[in-house]
Amino acid sequence: MIAELVSSALGLALYLNTLSADFCYDDSRAIKTNQDLLPETPWTHIFYNDFWGTLLTHSGSHKSYRPLCTLSFRLNHAIGGLNPWSYHLVNVLLHAAVTGVFTSFSKILLGDGYWTFMAGLMFASHPIHTEAVAGIVGRADVGASLFFLLSLLCYMKHCSTRGYSARTWGWFLGTGLCAGCSMLWKEQGVTVLAVSAVYDVFVFHRLKMKQILPTIYKRKNLSLFLSISLLTFWGTSLLGARLYWMGNKPPSFSNSDNPAADSDSLLARTLTFFYLPTKNLWLLLCPDTLSFDWSMDAVPLLKTVCDWRNLHTVAFYVGLLLLAYYGLKSPSVEGECNGKFVTNGKQNANGHSCHSDMEYRNSEIKPSFASKVENGIKNNASQRTQLPSTENIVVLSLSLLIIPFVPATNLFFYVGFVIAERVLYIPSMGFCLLITVGARALYVKVQKRFLKSLIFYATATLIVFYGLKTAIRNGDWQNEEMLYRSGIKVNPAKAWGNLGNVLKSQSKISEAESAYRNALYYRSNMADMLYNLGLLLQENSRFAEALHYYKLAIGSRPTLASAYLNTGIILMNQGKTEEARRTFLKCSEIPDENLKDPHAHKSSVTSCLYNLGKLYHEQGHYEDALSVYKEAIQKMPRQFAPQSLYNMMGEAYMRLSKLPEAEHWYMESLRSKTDHIPAHLTYGKLLALTGRKSEAEKFFLKAIELDPTKGNCYMHYGQFLLEEARLIEAAEMAKKAAELDSTEFDVVFSAAHMLRQASLNEAAEKYYDLAARLRPNYPAALMNLGAILHLNGRLQKAEANYLRALQLKPDDVITQSNLRKLWNIMEKQGLKTSKT
């Protein structure tokens, strides 16, 4: 028990500093924007959606069905909201639990000695676990590992009680249930059933390859055959149910996720896929270079047989075959053990097992789970069995290393990554066992005390180095900036791009722009990076450059709805209404099939329709606007905030004098967001129009209360006061509005108009002048400035503004009339005019 506690404590201690870490990388999509975590979403949706909240049968779904992990996130969210501390705490505690259970599992194989302790400490400290433990989405791997081990332990208990206790099938039921739970944490958890079969055949029954078929043919060990058959049936059932539940279709990924899968060259695909397990083993053995992402060109394709990395591939598979041969070879001669005759790898005496080597003369002997049964015959006497031999443990270690990794090899279907460190969490159990049993075998074999000490301390030193690397790597996971900077040397395109997002959020605009451009230097066709750079340029009023990068993004990914949306907004603001209209329409017609994030796509499409409706609204096409708004409501995803859309629906009905419908949509807007200021203002105007003055004033005042710094609120309230002939109060509201929003043309222009109506002409002149400076090419602003100057007796300035307004709009009748009146006055006063 001490080994388990110490190993768990180390696993806990190494990751304590991650408790202060923020959400990183994939955490945002799996947690912060995942609707399945919200209390208003029915919890049953978790069992129909994938890990990221997309409907599992959707063509763009990742098909990663991990409902138990998502359920744990939802519980985290219910208790602590979006505070990352609680999420990290659960991950660390799960890792400590897995470490303790793994150490207990190792004790069954290695005995209650320091080698078990070594195996537990190595697993607790291995740096490859950092992504799974420090990255919150890695909880899927850690949770799957816990139930993986519990399933395996249940099956070992089933083996030891099989044939003489009815409880043996209770243990088998536990095996099946834990295997199912492991798969519902993460897909690879189902592979525990295959590992259990390996344990039963090659460790518990100690069969060699040549003995398996004769044993089945001669109907020996029928209980073994029955157990293996049930494991096969249950595994097939789980996989069949899993395939059915995800729509009987594999997921589809972009070529950047797994470039080898997208390669046209069969040779490149074959060589690369054979090489990738070699690279993964190297990360387990020497985890010096780790990265948050290994997609794109992080591992260049092997395109020819002359690539020197093929030597690594050959060495890896030769070594693997030699280890497998060592563990599975049949004994050359029959032998004796403790004076008892041994055949078929089993001792034919009193149910005692026997080792095939002499290394355990001084090693521990421990009780098995219960007395062993040979050939299905019950042994009534309680027995003690020796530990599995080195060959047995090597076979089990190899199965733990290889079988859970098989789903990631692209052997049965293409996966959405090149290398994923968190996928190695379960295989690392086999690696740690393999290293430990290898060190123990060497320790037993050598005779000199110096060499024994050297082997022992070399293993201990390896654990120390692993622990130090884990502590250093945990520092990289403290925040996204450190994480992405650490990945630049492995995957520069992805790392620079993600770093640009972080720097932008920190308002480091020039650094963010450089980061985006660095990302595009390494991979120029990344649609997301092109879009992000365009968005940054748009937010800094560099509209021409922004449009250029949006068009490049659309060229790289024609389904990128957000790029169409922002392109349309820029064109609309530039007065290119027809181009904007075509852009919004094209965006609204893009389907969401095979898209990685259909929710985000639907949000962008809804926003496009919203802006198209606004465009029609501004052009006075209110019926067209309503039609577009209704389409937007139909396509609107669950997470879309609808208050602005509902408010604009009300505005369109208001313009069509359909007041009951307008009131309905204003109320819907306020119901969806009770503090939505535009809806307070528009609903206040409707109430005033329908004679409910006191209610209207309450809504205007509430809008001001919600945001006292927003000049638009004072402007609307001022207009209401003006209509009520409360001129002094209206003038005060106008001045307040113009002071707060002195750069907003509409606010300043309306304030000047209200001041003029209140006969405060000097103040009106000040704000008409400011409005004209804000939009120097807007005829209405120049005409009104000319009019107020005219009234205030500044005739020559008035003339200049009238003339400038007529240059921009020569056929404006009002301006022409005002100018003629002005000239008459100027001539009467003997002033020189432009016409003379």
Side-chain angles (χ1 to χ4, degrees), residues 45-65:
H45 283 204
I46 290 171
F47 294 94
Y48 294 92
N49 295 338
D50 67 15
F51 191 53
W52 314 100
T54 303
L55 188 65
L56 198 64
T57 53
H58 189 277
S59 58
S61 170
H62 197 275
K63 307 295 184 185
S64 46
Y65 186 58

Side-chain angles (χ1 to χ4, degrees), residues 304-354:
T304 67
V305 292
C306 298
D307 192 311
W308 61 272
R309 289 174 294 172
N310 288 312
L311 296 175
H312 296 171
T313 305
V314 172
F316 167 73
Y317 287 103
V318 168
L320 196 64
L321 289 172
L322 288 175
L323 275 175
Y325 175 76
Y326 170 78
L328 298 173
K329 67 180 179 179
S330 299
S332 57
V333 294
E334 295 177 346
E336 288 188 38
C337 181
N338 299 328
K340 306 295 182 182
F341 188 62
V342 178
T343 58
N344 293 330
K346 294 186 183 179
Q347 181 185 344
N348 192 16
N350 300 323
H352 286 281
S353 62
C354 172

Side-chain angles (χ1 to χ4, degrees), residues 187-222:
E187 298 78 8
Q188 68 186 129
V190 73
T191 58
V192 68
L193 298 173
V195 175
S196 297
V198 170
Y199 168 80
D200 201 353
V201 173
F202 298 108
V203 179
F204 187 78
H205 282 87
R206 303 177 185 274
L207 297 179
K208 302 301 179 181
M209 286 301 295
K210 292 182 179 179
Q211 299 167 338
I212 296 175
L213 290 177
T215 299
I216 296 173
Y217 179 73
K218 294 177 181 179
R219 297 188 178 181
K220 295 181 178 180
N221 290 304
L222 290 177

Side-chain angles (χ1 to χ4, degrees), residues 736-751:
K736 185 75 172 176
E739 288 170 3
L740 289 171
D741 287 347
S742 59
T743 59
E744 293 290 331
F745 171 81
D746 291 333
V747 174
V748 173
F749 189 70
S750 296

Side-chain angles (χ1 to χ4, degrees), residues 10 14 121-122 125-128 130 284-288 290 457-473:
L10 178 63
L14 281 172
L121 293 179
M122 187 176 296
S125 61
H126 203 293
I128 206 68
T130 309
L284 284 170
L285 186 63
C286 183
D288 177 55
L290 299 174
Y457 288 116
T459 308
T461 301
L462 179 65
I463 293 170
V464 171
F465 278 129
Y466 279 170
L468 290 173
K469 176 62 179 179
T470 296
I472 294 169
R473 182 60 178 160

Side-chain angles (χ1 to χ4, degrees), residues 166-422:
R167 289 184 299 172
T168 188
W169 297 111
W171 290 114
F172 190 89
L173 180 62
T175 298
L177 289 176
C178 288
C181 289
S182 184
M183 189 185 77
L184 292 176
W185 274 90
K186 192 168 184 181
E187 298 78 8
Q188 68 186 129
V190 73
T191 58
V192 68
L193 298 173
V195 175
S196 297
V198 170
Y199 168 80
D200 201 353
V201 173
F202 298 108
V203 179
F204 187 78
H205 282 87
R206 303 177 185 274
L207 297 179
K208 302 301 179 181
M209 286 301 295
K210 292 182 179 179
Q211 299 167 338
I212 296 175
L213 290 177
T215 299
I216 296 173
Y217 179 73
K218 294 177 181 179
R219 297 188 178 181
K220 295 181 178 180
N221 290 304
L222 290 177
S223 59
L224 167 64
F225 182 73
L226 177 60
S227 295
I228 299 300
S229 298
L230 289 173
L231 286 175
T232 304
F233 171 76
W234 183 236
T236 304
S237 300
L238 287 175
L239 289 173
R242 173 75 171 77
L243 184 63
Y244 169 78
W245 204 246
M246 71 182 196
N248 296 312
K249 292 180 181 178
S252 59
F253 302 104
S254 67
N255 62 347
S256 63
D257 293 329
N258 190 350
D262 196 60
S263 174
D264 295 328
S265 169
L266 176 62
L267 179 64
R269 287 201 306 273
T270 304
L271 293 177
T272 304
F273 286 153
F274 272 108
Y275 170 73
L276 289 177
T278 308
K279 182 68 175 178
N280 279 275
L281 181 65
W282 181 250
L283 288 177
L284 284 170
L285 186 63
C286 183
D288 177 55
T289 301
L290 299 174
S291 176
F292 71 96
D293 190 288
W294 289 84
S295 62
M296 300 181 182
D297 302 317
V299 180
L301 299 183
L302 283 77
K303 298 181 179 179
T304 67
V305 292
C306 298
D307 192 311
W308 61 272
R309 289 174 294 172
N310 288 312
L311 296 175
H312 296 171
T313 305
V314 172
F316 167 73
Y317 287 103
V318 168
L320 196 64
L321 289 172
L322 288 175
L323 275 175
Y325 175 76
Y326 170 78
L328 298 173
K329 67 180 179 179
S330 299
S332 57
V333 294
E334 295 177 346
E336 288 188 38
C337 181
N338 299 328
K340 306 295 182 182
F341 188 62
V342 178
T343 58
N344 293 330
K346 294 186 183 179
Q347 181 185 344
N348 192 16
N350 300 323
H352 286 281
S353 62
C354 172
H355 294 296
S356 60
D357 52 33
M358 299 299 294
E359 69 204 55
Y360 298 114
R361 281 177 289 185
N362 299 317
S363 67
E364 311 92 321
I365 298 176
K366 68 180 288 295
S368 66
F369 284 121
S371 59
K372 186 172 177 182
V373 178
E374 295 294 339
N375 300 323
I377 301 173
K378 176 181 171 182
N379 250 324
N380 292 319
S382 178
Q383 303 291 344
R384 293 168 66 87
T385 61
Q386 288 184 319
L387 299 172
S389 66
T390 297
E391 292 95 329
N392 299 146
I393 301 175
V394 166
V395 171
L396 185 61
S397 299
L398 285 175
S399 71
L400 266 172
L401 177 65
I402 296 169
I403 294 174
F405 183 72
V406 167
T409 60
N410 297 278
L411 183 62
F412 299 109
F413 49 83
Y414 292 140
V415 296
F417 53 85
V418 179
I419 292 174
E421 292 168 15
R422 56 179 177 257

Side-chain angles (χ1 to χ4, degrees), residues 630-649:
K630 288 174 183 177
E631 184 183 351
I633 290 172
Q634 289 177 347
K635 293 184 175 180
M636 179 175 65
R638 276 187 303 149
Q639 76 273 15
F640 188 83
Q643 61 273 5
S644 296
L645 178 56
Y646 293 161
N647 187 55
M648 288 305 297
M649 283 279 287

